[in-house]
């Protein structure tokens, strides 16, 4: 039985765009361009214009976007095998998979308990016991992981900044020199258009944004077997191309990113205003696009009991994520259990509430009332 308040329903999310998507897909089917071509180039143009970067490169998915950025830096000699990259231990595993897949070494750092993201303090801590050359800034749950203190520590330590924007398309940093989009803050940004993200394709898709022309050129080659021109391979590359069908679908949805994110913020505002249960700790609320609410995550003591109560009341929930990175079997060697208490605590208590275009503000008010009944 589907719950009264589902966590997410992708058919519902895509319903407003379906007629236009069908037209776009038909256009591709009839065009004869099934790899690369005008839809991919058109989407790259649209994404670069929206994010405000000189380059956007369509790729196969978000993990590949991260891998290609790191590989690109390695081909350019700005990173070498074994170099360390700081990343927060409470991120989604893919952030770290990209680092190890490139033969680089993740330095797991604590998140700030306030934002769940890296902070200048936690980056400084990680630098005290590492010789990191780069930092992967994950804008987790849609919250921009950047401030002037981080900017300073990055500059002082000459760190490469790779943004993991998978959860944060449309997020902004409101800085002293105006507004900067996530994906235009660091050296390069990796986007995922996995169907459940704020802007999702109908299959796998991703992109890299950057103002670095050298890096963009290398990534364009790397995504296509490392070929700079036909039958000439300058790098031992990969096949990580963006499917033109997905590009055509994304061109339909991309212009509505701010609108979709505003709908998410409306739901978050209702949760923030109406949830008053002292046993439920709410995420930091901000009424601007420094947070685009990919997830609305609360912290509770007894997670399973809380989730069970909500499930009985018809509210579906999720957990992002149940384990910190070093608590996964494949990364147990990175850091011993107990060494990252903030990340571990966080992962033990976090619960995500429904937040998407499937959840109306009325639904959110009902869900808040249910949560306030929980004892
Ligand atoms: C989804 C996600 C990824 C990976 O994106 P895919 O397109 O699924 O490969 C990477 N990092 C974060 C933080 C994500 O949420």
């Amino acid at each position: 039985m589907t719950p009264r308040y589902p966590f997410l329903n992708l058919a519902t999310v895509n319903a407003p765009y379906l007629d236009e998507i069908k037209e776009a897909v038909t256009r591709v089917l009839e065009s004869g361009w099934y790899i690369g071509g005008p839809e991919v180039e058109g989407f790259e143009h649209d994404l670069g214009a929206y994010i405000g970067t000189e380059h956007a490169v369509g790729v196969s998915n978000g993990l590949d976007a991260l891998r290609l950025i790191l590989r690109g830096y390695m081909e350019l000699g700005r990173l070498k095998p074994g170099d360390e990259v700081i990343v927060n231990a409470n991120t989604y595993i893919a952030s770290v998979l990209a680092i190890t897949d490139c033969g680089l070494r993740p330095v797991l750092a604590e998140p700030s308990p306030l934002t769940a993201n890296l902070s200048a303090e936690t980056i400084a801590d990680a630098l005290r016991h590492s010789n990191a050359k780069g930092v992967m800034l994950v804008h987790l749950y849609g919250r921009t992981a950047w401030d002037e203190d981080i900017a300073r520590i990055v500059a002082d330590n000459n760190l490469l900044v790779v943004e993991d924007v998978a959860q944060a398309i449309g997020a902004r940093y409101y800085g002293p020199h105006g507004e900067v989009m996530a994906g235009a803050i660091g050296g390069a940004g990796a986007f995922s258009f996995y169907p459940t993200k704020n802007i999702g394709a109908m299959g796998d898709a991703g992109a890299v944004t950057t103002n670095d022309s050298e890096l963009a050129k290398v990534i364009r080659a790397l995504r296509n077997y490392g070929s700079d021109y036909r039958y000439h391979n300058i790098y031992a590359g990969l096949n990580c191309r963006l499917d033109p069908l997905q590009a055509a679908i994304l061109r339909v949805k991309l212009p509505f990113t701010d609108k979709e994110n505003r709908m998410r913020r409306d739901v978050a505002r209702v949760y923030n205003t109406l949830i008053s249960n002292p046993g439920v700790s709410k995420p930091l609320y901000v009424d601007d696009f420094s947070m685009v609410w990919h997830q609305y995550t609360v912290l509770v003591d007894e997670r399973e009991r809380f989730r069970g109560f909500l499930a009985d009341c018809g509210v579906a929930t999720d957990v992002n994520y149940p384990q910190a990175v070093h608590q996964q079997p494949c990364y147990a060697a990175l850091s011993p259990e107990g060494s990252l208490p903030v990340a571990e605590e966080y992962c033990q208590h976090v619960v995500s509430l429904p937040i998407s275009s499937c959840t109306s503000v009325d639904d959110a008010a009902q869900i808040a009332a249910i949560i306030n009944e929980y004892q």
Side-chain angles (χ1 to χ4, degrees):
M1 205 184 85
T2 51
R4 171 120 188 249
Y5 303 105
F7 193 74
L8 187 62
N9 178 324
L10 293 174
T12 308
V13 167
N14 286 318
Y17 307 109
L18 212 52
D19 287 343
E20 245 192 287
I21 285 173
K22 284 177 182 167
E23 272 174 44
V25 166
T26 303
R27 191 170 72 227
V28 176
L29 296 182
E30 291 175 351
S31 73
W33 275 106
Y34 305 133
I35 297 288
E39 297 294 341
V40 172
E41 285 165 20
F43 176 65
E44 290 176 340
H45 171 270
D46 297 350
L47 182 67
Y50 177 58
I51 301 302
T53 51
E54 210 171 310
H55 308 280
V57 185
V59 303
S60 33
N61 57 60
L63 173 57
D64 285 345
L66 289 167
R67 290 165 69 208
L68 288 163
I69 294 168
L70 295 169
R71 264 294 298 274
Y73 280 137
M74 294 176 85
E75 297 292 353
L76 289 168
R78 298 190 217 162
L79 286 175
K80 52 182 196 316
D83 276 353
E84 293 175 313
V85 178
I86 296 168
V87 62
N88 45 317
N90 59 318
T91 186
Y92 183 54
I93 194 94
S95 316
V96 187
L97 291 173
I99 297 172
T100 56
D101 185 69
C102 289
L104 301 164
R105 292 191 7 230
V107 177
L108 296 184
E110 291 279 38
S112 148
L114 192 66
T115 63
N117 283 330
L118 289 173
S119 67
E121 289 73 31
T122 64
I123 294 171
D125 276 343
L127 284 169
R128 249 170 250 131
H129 61 85
S130 74
N131 183 25
K133 295 288 186 289
V135 57
M136 185 174 291
L137 278 184
V138 186
H139 306 298
L140 199 67
Y141 309 138
R143 195 184 298 279
T144 311
W146 189 250
D147 58 34
E148 289 309 292
D149 295 333
I150 299 179
R152 203 166 310 117
I153 202 166
V154 159
D156 288 350
N157 292 276
N158 210 11
L159 297 176
L160 289 173
V161 176
V162 176
E163 295 179 67
D164 182 340
V165 201
Q167 303 189 356
I169 188 166
R172 271 86 157 164
Y173 170 59
Y174 299 98
H177 309 294
E179 176 180 313
V180 189
M181 302 290 288
I185 296 170
F191 289 78
S192 167
F193 302 101
Y194 185 81
T196 63
K197 308 288 175 164
N198 287 25
I199 293 296
M202 291 173 158
D204 279 309
V208 173
T209 55
T210 184
N211 284 314
D212 183 335
S213 299
E214 257 189 322
L215 182 68
K217 196 170 162 200
V218 177
I219 290 174
R220 282 186 188 282
L222 284 173
R223 75 168 169 182
N224 190 37
Y225 315 120
S227 170
D228 51 352
Y229 58 91
R230 195 152 189 243
Y231 299 138
H232 184 265
N233 293 77
I234 180 164
Y235 310 112
L238 301 156
N239 176 347
C240 294
R241 297 179 294 237
L242 172 61
D243 179 345
L245 281 168
Q246 301 304 333
I249 292 166
L250 288 169
R251 286 179 83 186
V252 173
K253 294 180 71 179
L254 185 68
F256 299 97
T257 306
D258 287 353
K259 179 174 177 239
E260 288 282 337
N261 287 341
R262 223 172 271 123
M263 284 175 0
R264 286 173 181 269
R265 194 208 301 166
D266 289 341
V267 171
R269 190 188 295 115
V270 171
Y271 284 147
N272 184 61
T273 310
L274 297 184
I275 296 175
S276 58
N277 189 325
V280 177
S281 153
K282 293 178 284 187
L284 180 68
Y285 180 80
V286 282
D287 206 49
D288 60 29
F289 282 137
S290 62
M291 172 53 152
V292 295
W293 302 102
H294 178 61
Q295 302 293 358
Y296 188 96
T297 56
V298 299
L299 299 173
V300 291
D301 274 343
E302 296 173 69
R303 173 161 67 204
E304 285 324 302
R305 197 167 69 80
F306 179 71
R307 294 190 73 198
F309 171 83
L310 290 187
D312 290 345
C313 299
V315 181
T317 56
D318 200 359
V319 175
N320 306 96
Y321 297 91
Q323 275 107 27
V325 168
H326 62 293
Q327 296 173 307
Q328 294 289 352
C330 63
Y331 286 135
L334 281 183
S335 300
E337 184 81 29
S339 60
L340 293 151
V342 180
E344 291 169 26
E345 268 273 307
Y346 200 89
C347 292
Q348 207 177 324
H349 297 296
V350 73
V351 179
S352 301
L353 304 181
I355 189 161
S356 73
S357 50
C358 304
T359 305
S360 68
V361 289
D362 291 339
D363 292 341
Q366 294 297 323
I367 293 168
I370 291 166
I371 288 172
N372 291 340
E373 295 286 306
Y374 172 73
Q375 292 185 321

